[in-house]
Amino acid sequence: GQQLNQSPQSMFIQEGEDVSMNCTSSSIFNTWLWYKQDPGEGPVLLIALYKAGELTSNGRLTAQFGITRKDSFLNISASIPSDVGIYFCAGTTSGTYKYIFGTGTRLKVLA
Amino acid sequence: DAGITQSPRHKVTETGTPVTLRCHQTENHRYMYWYRQDPGHGLRLIHYSYGVKDTDKGEVSDGYSVSRSKTEDFLLTLESATSSQTSVYFCAISENPDEAFFGQGTRLTVV
């Protein structure tokens, strides 16, 4: 089946640093979504992107829908300890209602 | 938080027994999904529904069946549980294909 390649798989950063992660696909996607999951909880939607080239922010988070429609990027500025968790990208392709998920980026913030 | 309730939240069952997980929503959303989450695999779609009595398979549907007799309820049944079905199961809902919201998850252990 379709897969989304998410990188990096994990990262340790210092508090206050900026973070970047990305997601790539072999297929064209119509929608890109970014989620954060805390331990023992379900994923929570952070940002949704609908158009190629779109740049959307949610507080310290900024995500972009790649021009090729095969990738997306998430940036977190000035990281804080509560940013710890697993970040997932997800997308839908034309004509489907199925969300395909990446394998996640595990973020750990060192105070 | 979207009104999604999964039950039970935790369950231990024996190999070969049938198990039913329930997802209940109060949002009147059209689409409902069942995912499983395993280390290294992210979230994988089991089955989804696009309306009452309208369901379709996801990428890992073998050994699972679903039913949706009412808008608000989506049931996932493991016909004969196996150890490989030990996982965390998440229900999600969406009103359109662009945003999905997740429940808290059900941790299932098959012994």
Side-chain angles (χ1 to χ4, degrees):
Chain A
Q2 287 179 315
Q3 287 190 332
L4 293 181
N5 297 312
Q6 203 168 336
S7 65
Q9 288 188 340
S10 64
M11 54 195 313
F12 286 84
I13 61 168
Q14 293 284 344
E15 183 177 358
E17 287 184 347
D18 296 344
V19 175
S20 292
M21 60 190 76
N22 68 77
C23 199
T24 60
S25 168
S26 57
S27 305
I28 290 175
F29 275 57
N30 283 355
T31 305
W32 285 98
L33 308 173
W34 285 93
Y35 288 84
K36 178 177 183 270
Q37 186 178 28
D38 293 323
E41 302 290 330
V44 174
L45 182 65
L46 299 173
I47 293 178
L49 302 160
Y50 305 108
K51 296 179 182 179
E54 180 180 357
L55 190 70
T56 298
S57 293
N58 178 7
R60 294 178 296 105
L61 278 62
T62 301
Q64 185 164 23
F65 194 139
I67 291 292
T68 66
R69 296 172 63 191
K70 292 184 177 181
D71 56 12
S72 180
F73 308 89
L74 177 70
N75 296 311
I76 305 173
S77 62
S79 58
I80 59 178
S82 62
D83 290 334
V84 165
I86 304 177
Y87 292 79
F88 290 100
C89 62
T92 60
T93 56
S94 177
T96 77
Y97 308 104
K98 304 179 188 180
Y99 298 84
I100 307 300
F101 279 79
T103 52
T105 293
R106 185 181 297 274
L107 180 64
K108 299 185 180 181
V109 179
L110 305 174
Chain B
D1 290 342
I4 309 169
T5 304
Q6 291 186 231
S7 59
R9 292 294 312 279
H10 301 272
K11 186 170 181 66
V12 180
T13 192
E14 292 186 350
T15 298
T17 60
V19 177
T20 296
L21 309 182
R22 181 183 185 231
C23 178
H24 178 79
Q25 61 147 329
T26 58
E27 305 295 320
N28 201 37
H29 281 4
R30 177 181 175 187
Y31 302 96
M32 298 185 76
Y33 308 81
W34 277 107
Y35 285 86
R36 60 177 289 174
Q37 184 174 34
D38 305 290
H41 290 279
L43 290 146
R44 292 181 292 174
L45 182 64
I46 305 172
H47 282 280
Y48 69 103
S49 169
Y50 45 96
V52 173
K53 298 187 179 179
D54 291 324
T55 64
D56 203 353
K57 296 179 179 179
E59 58 186 309
V60 289
S61 59
D62 287 349
Y64 301 95
S65 62
V66 290
S67 66
R68 190 169 180 200
S69 58
K70 298 184 290 185
T71 298
E72 58 266 35
D73 289 324
F74 193 32
L75 304 180
L76 176 70
T77 297
L78 287 65
E79 293 137 11
S80 177
T82 67
S83 59
S84 64
Q85 293 175 311
T86 292
S87 186
V88 181
Y89 291 85
F90 286 100
C91 173
I93 65 173
S94 70
E95 179 53 27
N96 58 60
D98 298 333
E99 297 180 354
F101 300 95
F102 283 80
Q104 298 278 67
T106 294
R107 183 172 296 276
L108 176 68
T109 303
V110 183
V111 298

